[in-house]
Structure formats: C-alpha cells, structure tokens
Amino acid sequence: MLAWSARTWHDRCMPPIHDRILMGPGPSNPYPEVTAALTHPVLGHLDPAFLAVLDETMERLRAVFQTSNPLTLPVSGTGSAGMQAAFVNVVRPGDPVVVGVNGLFGERMCEVAARLGAQVVRVEAPWGEPLDPEQIVHAHRAPAVIALVHAETSTGVENDVAAVGAAKGDALLIADTVTSLGGIPVAVDDWHVDICYGGTQKCLGVPPGLAPLTADATARERFVPRPSSWYLDLTLLSQYVEGKGGTRVYHHTAPVTMINALHAGLGAVLDEGLDAVWARHRECGQLLQAGLEKLGFSLFAAAGHRLPELTTVTVPDDLPKGMDEAGVRAHLLEHYDIEIGGGAGQLAGKVWRIGCMGHTARPRNVLALLGALEELFGR
Amino acid sequence: MLAWSARTWHDRCMPPIHDRILMGPGPSNPYPEVTAALTHPVLGHLDPAFLAVLDETMERLRAVFQTSNPLTLPVSGTGSAGMQAAFVNVVRPGDPVVVGVNGLFGERMCEVAARLGAQVVRVEAPWGEPLDPEQIVHAHRAPAVIALVHAETSTGVENDVAAVGAAKGDALLIADTVTSLGGIPVAVDDWHVDICYGGTQKCLGVPPGLAPLTADATARERFVPRPSSWYLDLTLLSQYVEGKGGTRVYHHTAPVTMINALHAGLGAVLDEGLDAVWARHRECGQLLQAGLEKLGFSLFAAAGHRLPELTTVTVPDDLPKGMDEAGVRAHLLEHYDIEIGGGAGQLAGKVWRIGCMGHTARPRNVLALLGALEELFGR
C-alpha cells in the first residue's frame, strides 16, 4: 500500500479555518440554522424519521417555487445537475429547442441540449441586456421546448420568464432559477413554467450540493421513457420521493445531510416569509448598487433589469497601484476576508460580480464591502 | 404567494432528532471528525483556501484507491453518479460491454450501459455466489469495456477484481468499489482497473453525497469527446480539479461542505492507517458473522466470499410472534435505534443486510445488535 505521511490529530482535524463574507456569484454564507442542521445524526434514506424530513423539504420547496406540483424534489447534485436533469428527461434527438442566450448559463443550456441531439434555436441578446420574450416565443413555429435563465449569474440581468410563459403555446417551458429562487419572486404555476430548477447555494443560504427541481403534469406526460441518464431519470426518482403504490422504491442513497441542511434553510426562509426575504434582498441590492455608484463605479447590467442579488460592476481603469483586477479580488479576500467574483465567459477580466444572497444579504455585509472598496481605491 | 403555516423557532430548528446505529447497507455513522468538518465555514469554489482542501482530498483519495492517477476526484453526486460518470465517459453506441451480474448493482450497470447504446454482454452468477473471472474475460472476443462490482451490496459477496484485471486484455476495466473502498483492500493500479468509483457513505464514514472516482491514462485516451452528460463530463471536470494550463476552469459550483467532510473522513481513515482500518472491518465482520451463527441464523452469501463489512442473513422461519421480516427491522429501529437493511431485488423479503462500515465498524455496535437480536428472538 502507499505510505501516508504521518499527520497529527491537529493537522487532520484543525486545518487553518478561513471564514469569509461570501459576496461572489455563489456560494453565499449559509443561514445559522443550516450549519446547525448539518450536524444532525445521519439517518438511513428509508428511515421513517428521515422520510418525514424529506417530505417536509418537498413541501417547503413547493412553497418557495410557488407551485403545487407533487414532483418537487432536491436533485442529488449541484444546480448544474438540475439543468442536466431538466433537459435529459424531455429532449429527444431532433427536437427543436429554443434557448434564450444572454449570458454563460444560456450558453450552457445550448450545450446541454445539443449533446442530447436537440436542434437548438438560439435567441440572443447582448450580455448585460435582457432577452426579448416576443422573439423567444416566435423563434420557431413548433418548439418542443423553450428554455431560459431567469437570473443570469454571469451578467446580473433578470429575464422575463412570466412573459415567455404566457405566450409559450404548446412548448414545454424550462426555467433556470438558480440565482433567483429565494431571492426574488419565482412563481412556477402562475408563470406556466413546466420544469424549474434552482440551486441551494445562492439565495436559499445552504451550501452547494443539491438542485431543487419541480416538474408539472404536462412535463411528466412528455418525459422520455428511458433517458440516457439513469442517475437523473425523474420517473425513477419520483418512485422514491413520491413513492409508487404506497412504497418508496430505492433509487440511490439520498444525500441525507445536505437534505437536512436544505430543510433548515427553507425553514429559515419561510419563517421570515417570502415577502420579507425578497424585500431584504431588494434592499441590500439597492444599498450596494447605490453605494457603488456613489464611489464612482459603473454598473454593467442594463438599468431596469438589474438583479438585486447579483450585481455586475465594470472593472475601472484606475485600479489601485500595482494591482490588476484579479489582484483587487485577491486583496479583498486576503485582507478583508471578503470574496467577490470575477467575470465569466466573454466578461472575464471586464466585470466583477458581487453577490448578496441568502444569509449574506444583510446591510452589514454590504457596508463592509463598500468600506473596503472605499479604502482600497482611496475614494 | 402560497401561505406558509406558522412555525415556531422550536419547530424549525429543533425537529425531533433521532440518533441510530446505522447497520444497514449504507449510510454508516460518520466519523466524529467528519461531523466537525461539516460545520466549517463555507468557502467559494475558487478560493485558494478551499482549493488547498480539494487538492489534499484528491491526494488522500489516491491513497485509499492505491493509485497514482492524477484524475482522482470527488464526483458531485452519490455513488450512483460515479457509476453514471464511469460509463457515460467511455461507452459509445454499439460498444460491446461485458458486465458481471450477481446482484442488484451488476444489474444496474447493465441498465446504465444499455441506455448509452452499449451492446451489453451479461456474465451471470447466482445471487450469493461470486462471479467467475475466467468467464468474464472470455465472454466476448474484443470487449470495449468490462465492468463488475467489487463488493455486491445486495448479496454481501466479494468479486475478484484483481483476477479480471490481470486477464482483461485491451478492454477498459470499470470497477464499482462503493461498498469496499476504505473497508477492504482496493488496489486500483495493481489490479489494472481503468476507472474505479466509490461512495462516501459506506466504509469511508462520511455522509452520502459524493462519489470518489479515479481514471487512468488509458481510460482518458478513450474518453468520449462530448459525452451526452455535460454534468458528468470528466474532461471538463478535470479542467477544474486538475486545472488547464495552470488555471482552474469553472465547471459547476463544487459542493464545498461535503468535500470538507470527505477530506476529514479520509484523514481519519489514513491516520488510523489502511491496514488498521481493514483489520477493524474484518474483525467486526467476523464477530458479527460468528455471533449470528451462534444465535442460529444462517448466513446467505457463499462461505469464503463473504464481505466483512456487509453481511446477508437469511430471514428465519421462526420470527418473533406477530412480526414479519419488516416488523423485525422496524422493531430494531424503534426500540433499539439500530437500523439494519432489508433485501433488495430478488432477495426482497428473503434476507437482511447488516452493514458494519466506517465509524459503525466498532465491536460495541456489533455486540449491541447481537444483544438486541438475542433478546428479540428469545435465543
């Protein structure tokens, strides 16, 4: 066997522990209730005591998605697994799939759909601008699927999912709410979204690792009977989370600890109340965006379409002496223990992305970052 | 918005907390170091402090897999996601894929491969008996892939992966070590395994949610360039975990909390030492199996091929008055807070599955279960 270097208990159990204010594009800081729930004893995935937690988690997810869909579950993977699950269960080779693209995650939808053999029809808007719902619903005469991202994490722009849902016709509508769920209103039933997925690590204030997903009856009728991914087969997953003939059919071992954490995070969100949580995200976003402009920074996303929970800032020309844009982020991380994100895709090096999501969405965190930027830029 | 029923802080944060001895087929009880690590502050997936933990986790995984493969990573899903990732990255439509089948997880491999268009060649043995390595390597003249399960969780039988690896010829060898990794010897390099995956929730003593996976150079040369699953594309994942040209390329948000937990669990295993951990699992298995026979129970798996960490017991005819086999398990759970598992697949209702894995593999737990069975059965 390979030798393992001698390590002391201290080395193993107490590595240097860093504690940051997480103001990147995700993960955010978890709610304190979530951290507590992570330590609950592990239970078996068929233990009635765990199944009660799972059932309640599904009920709480229905509340934040604003849906009555029975099939509303935490998919056992990160938000991107939610995207993969949404597409693999409904896309058949040759299907026309209309995708709205105004950022990295719209691009990713095209790639995921293309790999499944879809005929992808792209409807683009410049990064930083919103998609045009009219253009999307008229892009193809009979799309099997229309897909778009509600909150583009790469640009900080909100797209109008409701307008697309109102005019989608017979197509299935897939909406990505990874960066909106629990931060700004998401109304799956009212908006006629057929499959909607999110992530835990953004506005829900839970660590990354699960993808909340909901699918309505129309989507279920059109599920591919035996999708190429066994792991993300929603029909099989439904037989565990909903049961089949009164029995829970084992599919894979549910990630019980992360589900406990999600259960607690959703409890925190729902106890505060969705209206109050949305208001808190909105207020923090306004405080941040006004503060940045007051310091002389330019916001990147188009006015009127800016997400409060994810702000993009154009990297200024007058960077602190000796620093490039990555150096600014590294300094914030090392000196202030504050993480902000760099640009992604075509915006790499051009913008910073500042998240204010979940438990991070507190005025104290916004003020700490503004103070750090003021000090660092000498403004 | 949907109304959310009023809940008190106590309801939300302090649901009834159950604490079981987990002696089912997984999850097992986590090592205490793991529970502590779950509470570490969440860090961003590109934070250098987190990347150091990720790098060390990969190094520790290489030690438990006994491999020097650079591409050795925690896949962001449960053990079954490891299976899906292994197959989707190397199976092309029409490929002859030989699968050893002597239990539920061999069956699952056939299903996963078939969905990807493989020409599946099944090599079977009765459930409870080991596979014949000779039969496997001669089942097809030129298989693209040979796959088998090392430790069949449904039957408690160990299959001889080393013998298959020694005679596999030009085929890629995929081995499932979900229920063996960290419990009994697994030697990826010595056994000529090309892709090997495990789970965290068995002998590694970490909650379910990640799939450790390793792939060698031969496998990587044969990776499908653009597999149908974007989420499990190992080439893209390698550009994050290993980096590409010195840069970590973002793919999806790594599940940082579960990776912290895995890091700590692997630390516990490696500090104890693989030899000592294997000896502990062996001794607990022997104590359990001898104790069960002394109480008059019959072991199901063929003698000489029994796993120490997962024991199958034939459900006896003389059940305690008024109980069926599920009733016995429910009583153990409710009265003693001990979980054991029922049979799966063709063994449903016929066997019990008793795990003794990870932190659960302690003599005190074996003695508690034997005492409970003695009391319950009046033996």
Side-chain angles (χ1 to χ4, degrees), chain A residues 1-2 4 7-8 12-13 15 17-20 22 26-28 30 33 35 38-45 47-49 56 59-60 62-63 66-67 76-78 80-81 84 104-105 108 111-112 114-116 201 207-209 226-231 233 236 250-258 267-268 270-271 274-275 333 339, chain B residues 1-2 4 7-8 12-13 15 17-20 22 26-28 30 33 35 38-45 47-49 56 59-60 62-63 66-67 76-78 80-81 84 104-105 108 111-112 114-116 201 207-209 226-231 233 236 250-258 267-268 270-271 274-275 333 339:
Chain A
M1 58 172 275
L2 299 182
W4 181 250
R7 298 178 68 84
T8 64
R12 184 179 79 215
C13 298
I17 294 183
H18 296 267
D19 187 13
R20 321 280 202 198
L22 298 176
S28 63
E33 294 89 338
T35 306
L38 285 165
T39 66
H40 288 192
V42 172
L43 297 179
H45 52 289
D47 188 321
E56 199 166 78
E59 188 191 344
R60 292 175 181 194
R62 284 181 202 107
Q66 300 198 81
T67 184
S76 302
T78 68
S80 299
Q84 187 75 52
L104 187 71
F105 294 90
R108 180 173 295 181
E111 176 67 12
V112 168
R115 288 183 183 216
L116 298 168
Q201 78 277 16
R226 210 167 159 231
S228 60
S229 174
W230 177 91
Y231 184 66
D233 183 332
L236 296 181
Y250 163 68
H251 178 264
H252 66 271
T253 301
V256 293
T257 295
M258 279 300 302
L270 293 167
D271 265 4
L274 286 179
D275 284 325
L333 193 69
E339 177 179 76
Chain B
M1 58 171 276
L2 297 182
W4 181 251
R7 298 179 68 84
T8 64
R12 183 179 80 215
C13 297
I17 294 183
H18 296 268
D19 187 12
R20 323 281 203 195
L22 298 176
S28 63
E33 293 89 339
T35 306
L38 284 164
T39 66
H40 288 192
V42 171
L43 296 179
H45 52 287
D47 188 320
E56 200 167 76
E59 187 191 344
R60 292 175 181 196
R62 285 182 200 105
Q66 300 196 80
T67 184
S76 302
T78 68
S80 300
Q84 187 75 52
L104 187 72
F105 294 90
R108 180 172 294 181
E111 176 66 13
V112 168
R115 287 183 183 217
L116 298 168
Q201 79 277 16
R226 208 168 160 232
S228 61
S229 175
W230 177 90
Y231 184 65
D233 183 331
L236 296 181
Y250 163 67
H251 178 265
H252 67 272
T253 302
V256 292
T257 295
M258 279 300 303
L270 293 167
D271 265 4
L274 285 179
D275 284 325
L333 192 68
E339 177 179 75

Side-chain angles (χ1 to χ4, degrees), chain B residues 280-354:
Chain B
R280 178 161 55 78
H281 280 84
R282 193 167 59 241
E283 283 156 22
C284 284
Q286 284 168 351
L287 183 65
L288 174 66
Q289 292 171 5
L292 288 167
E293 291 195 309
K294 198 169 160 204
L295 288 175
F297 292 101
S298 302
L299 302 180
F300 175 78
H305 305 279
R306 290 175 188 152
L307 295 165
E309 71 274 27
L310 198 285
T311 298
T312 43
V313 187
T314 305
V315 173
D317 295 326
D318 59 328
L319 291 171
K321 205 171 149 86
M323 284 187 188
D324 59 7
E325 77 80 16
V328 169
R329 289 188 282 120
H331 185 80
L332 287 170
L333 192 68
E334 286 157 23
H335 192 72
Y336 299 97
D337 274 318
I338 299 176
E339 177 179 75
I340 68 166
Q346 62 177 248
L347 294 177
K350 297 181 183 162
V351 301
W352 289 315
R353 292 184 294 161
I354 306 176

Side-chain angles (χ1 to χ4, degrees), chain B residues 225-241:
Chain B
R226 208 168 160 232
S228 61
S229 175
W230 177 90
Y231 184 65
L232 296 175
D233 183 331
L234 287 169
T235 305
L236 296 181
L237 291 172
S238 75
Q239 295 170 6
Y240 170 65
V241 298

Side-chain angles (χ1 to χ4, degrees), chain A residues 226, chain B residues 87 90-100 109-123 139-147:
Chain A
R226 210 167 159 231
Chain B
F87 283 87
V90 296
V91 172
R92 291 161 173 82
D95 271 356
V97 174
V98 172
V99 181
M109 282 178 158
C110 296
E111 176 66 13
V112 168
R115 287 183 183 217
L116 298 168
Q119 171 202 339
V120 176
V121 180
R122 297 165 61 98
V123 177
H140 189 277
R141 94 196 128 67
V145 173
I146 296 175

